[in-house]
Amino acid sequence: MTEPSTTRAGTGPSSAPAPTRRGPVVAALMLGMGLAAIDGTIVSTAVPQIVGDLGGLAVFSWLFSGYLLAVTVTLPVYGKLSDTFGRKPVLVAGVVLFLAGSLLCAAAWNMASLIAFRVVQGLGGGALQGTIQTIAADLYPLKERPKIQAKLSSVWAASSVAGPAAGGLLAGYADWRWIFLINLPVGLVALWLICRYLVEPEQGAPRAGARKPEARARVRIDWAGALCVFATGALLLTALVQGGVAWPWLSAPSLGLLGGAAVLGAVTVLVERRAAEPIIPGWVWRRRTIAAVNLALGALGLLMVAPTVFLPTYAQSVLGLGPIAAGFVLSVMTLSWPVSAAFSNRVYTRIGFRRTAILGISGALLVLLAFPLLPFPGEPWQPALLMLLLGAALGLFQLPLIVGVQSTVPYEERGTTTASVLFCRQVGQSVGAAVFGAVANGVLAARLGGDGDLDTLARALDSPGSLPPATTDLLRRAVDAAVDYVYLGAAGAAALALLVLLVLAPRRFPVLKDPGEG
């Protein structure tokens, strides 16, 4: 390894003893990751059937927003709890909560109840996302972590892409309630595997630098901090998700939510400074490595909005592809990403985590800048090729940063560290959706001489035969220009991540020794 194997004063090895059988535990982690990923997208294609059955067309977007909010704002809380009480009880509680939410969603009697139960699902989903990533780092030594992370990335990518198709099939040929009921057998298998095979370190023989059992028994949960983090995140994300959609950006609801989030953010800082065991410890931002990775992956969440949200619209409205073909243009990125991530260890073992991430984000920056240079209307293979290259570049960027930052902290800090990284990435996605949505609609308004809305134009272009050829061409060129500007904004986010790595990240990550190393 190029990275030095140093041990911070007062800390022990960076990994806990592995469970006796890793295979069943890894299977459980992959099942849990698949559940968390697919439920973020599976509802999208079943909305017409759900609305037709339950009503509530005006608020159906909260089926997605409520789930996203609950997952995001609970990540720091679960991260801290997993460091305090262990990964297993947090993950078991998360799976149980997720399955309970799924069962309740299937029994929903109106849109309000379904939205509320989706929030319950999201509360469990937050535990799944953060704790699974942490356990994966606990199970494997540094040299082997790319393998498990690549597997989890593959599961996440495949589940996210398959979600809309699965939702459409279940809603069309069975009943939309099966979208949630199919979680039960999968989740129960994962729960059994976790309970049966996941063996955490013995509490009676603590690691160097870890709390003694009697200290753990006396630990106090920072409930005030957890509530403040939850409330601040909920207000901020609600403003970002609903601003410009449910109400104008400069309206009273947007300004009130943003102002309330700022006030609660200040209160959260004060509460966390006084807490004995804060939910978000100050060291998360005081350590250069963790702070740099948090900011860099926040920028990753920002730039990922361009391909995941806007590329399908571009493929259908500009290239004239059907939904399945448009999905394929995006899905090629999910093929190259895990492959690149799996081989990234051969790169970072030679040149280090920071340089590997710099190489990856530099490649992503070039790909994003190339997108606006595509001809109009172009051929489908052209954006598909760019997405293939983007996935390969981001695999080299994201995984070395996650593996690297997890390897700089001991076992008892890894849950908090992993959760902070995922939290920043989730917030970046929410910010990106709001910012790039405003950019796209602004470009459309300028091109069409009035108020523009990308969703409205996309629906109009679904049946181009109903429009005069000149009008169709005008609308397609307007959508093309809007998506081009979004990709330029994504390139700006990639440049920001590159700047963070060059300026803030240490040249060598302070990696701790794995057990058994000399």
Side-chain angles (χ1 to χ4, degrees):
M1 281 289 298
T2 300
E3 308 291 335
S5 294
T6 59
T7 304
R8 192 178 291 110
T11 63
S14 63
S15 295
T20 52
R21 293 184 62 183
R22 290 193 303 193
V25 176
V26 170
L29 297 184
M30 294 175 72
L31 290 173
M33 184 64 78
L35 286 177
I38 201 169
D39 261 76
T41 59
I42 194 172
V43 178
S44 59
T45 48
V47 166
Q49 289 78 10
I50 295 173
V51 171
D53 190 11
L54 301 180
L57 178 63
V59 294
F60 83 88
S61 64
W62 277 100
L63 291 177
F64 315 100
S65 302
Y67 182 83
L68 172 66
L69 287 170
V71 168
T72 304
V73 300
T74 54
L75 276 169
V77 178
Y78 287 127
K80 183 62 179 179
L81 291 177
S82 73
D83 281 341
T84 305
F85 298 106
R87 327 298 193 212
K88 186 172 183 176
V90 173
L91 184 55
V92 168
V95 174
V96 170
L97 194 57
F98 185 89
L99 295 181
S102 299
L103 187 60
L104 289 170
C105 285
W109 55 91
N110 58 27
M111 185 61 75
S113 64
L114 181 57
I115 291 171
F117 298 147
R118 281 284 283 173
V119 172
V120 175
Q121 251 195 328
L123 295 177
L128 290 177
Q129 284 196 32
T131 313
I132 285 173
Q133 293 275 14
T134 306
I135 293 174
D138 295 338
L139 286 173
Y140 289 85
L142 175 57
K143 292 181 179 179
E144 297 181 40
R145 280 178 200 153
K147 297 178 182 178
I148 181 62
Q149 291 290 355
K151 290 179 181 178
L152 294 177
S153 296
S154 300
V155 170
W156 183 273
S159 300
S160 299
V161 172
L169 288 172
L170 288 171
Y173 294 98
D175 186 275
W176 64 264
R177 297 179 190 274
W178 281 101
I179 289 174
F180 304 105
L181 290 175
I182 61 170
N183 291 337
L184 299 181
V186 178
L188 289 173
V189 171
L191 186 62
W192 180 80
L193 290 173
I194 293 164
C195 293
R196 175 69 177 82
Y197 293 106
L198 179 57
V199 181
E200 293 200 274
E202 288 292 333
Q203 297 295 322
R207 297 161 301 278
R211 290 190 192 90
K212 295 180 181 179
E214 60 270 18
R216 283 182 177 270
R218 294 195 304 267
V219 72
R220 291 180 297 176
I221 301 176
D222 178 22
W223 291 116
L227 180 61
C228 287
V229 170
F230 189 93
T232 303
L235 288 184
L236 176 61
L237 292 176
T238 301
L240 293 173
V241 169
Q242 295 298 308
V245 178
W247 48 70
W249 278 108
L250 296 180
S251 64
S254 279
L255 296 177
L257 287 169
L258 291 172
V263 172
L264 280 177
V267 172
T268 301
V269 172
L270 294 176
V271 170
E272 294 295 82
R273 282 184 173 179
R274 297 181 179 181
E277 293 286 343
I279 293 295
I280 303 181
W283 54 259
V284 168
W285 292 104
R286 287 195 297 268
R287 296 180 192 172
R288 285 181 59 193
T289 305
I290 302 175
V293 172
N294 282 345
L295 293 174
L297 290 186
L300 172 65
L302 191 69
L303 74 85
M304 280 302 297
V305 171
T308 57
V309 176
F310 290 91
L311 184 63
T313 300
Y314 171 88
Q316 293 182 70
S317 300
V318 177
L319 302 181
L321 302 178
I324 296 177
F328 174 77
V329 172
L330 173 61
S331 66
V332 293
M333 181 176 68
T334 66
L335 300 176
S336 58
W337 190 319
V339 172
S340 172
F343 285 96
S344 66
N345 67 320
R346 300 187 180 184
V347 182
Y348 68 65
T349 52
R350 289 174 172 81
I351 65 175
F353 294 116
R354 176 177 174 268
R355 289 181 179 176
T356 304
I358 287 174
L359 180 65
I361 198 62
S362 299
L365 175 59
L366 294 176
V367 172
L368 293 168
L369 288 174
F371 189 91
L373 302 178
L374 293 178
F376 175 87
E379 298 293 334
W381 67 265
Q382 294 167 332
L385 176 61
L386 290 183
M387 291 307 98
L388 190 71
L389 296 174
L390 182 63
L394 293 178
L396 282 179
F397 169 68
Q398 177 181 257
L399 189 136
L401 291 182
I402 292 179
V403 172
V405 77
Q406 288 178 330
S407 303
T408 65
V409 293
Y411 176 88
E412 57 272 11
E413 294 178 354
R414 192 175 292 142
T416 298
T417 301
T418 303
S420 73
V421 169
L422 299 179
F423 176 77
C424 288
R425 189 179 65 185
Q426 291 281 97
V427 171
Q429 289 179 333
S430 299
V431 172
V435 171
F436 293 150
V439 168
N441 290 334
V443 172
L444 291 176
R447 288 294 181 111
L448 301 176
D451 292 333
D453 180 84
L454 189 61
D455 292 335
T456 302
L457 261 65
R459 286 193 293 270
L461 288 168
D462 278 344
S463 2
S466 61
L467 300 172
T471 302
T472 300
D473 184 70
L474 176 65
L475 296 182
R476 282 182 170 170
R477 288 184 181 275
V479 173
D480 179 67
V483 177
D484 284 349
Y485 275 94
V486 167
Y487 268 82
L488 288 175
L496 177 62
L498 178 60
L499 182 64
V500 166
L501 293 177
L502 290 173
V503 175
L504 183 59
R507 292 183 179 275
R508 294 187 177 184
F509 283 20
V511 174
L512 305 183
K513 292 180 180 179
D514 281 317
E517 287 186 353

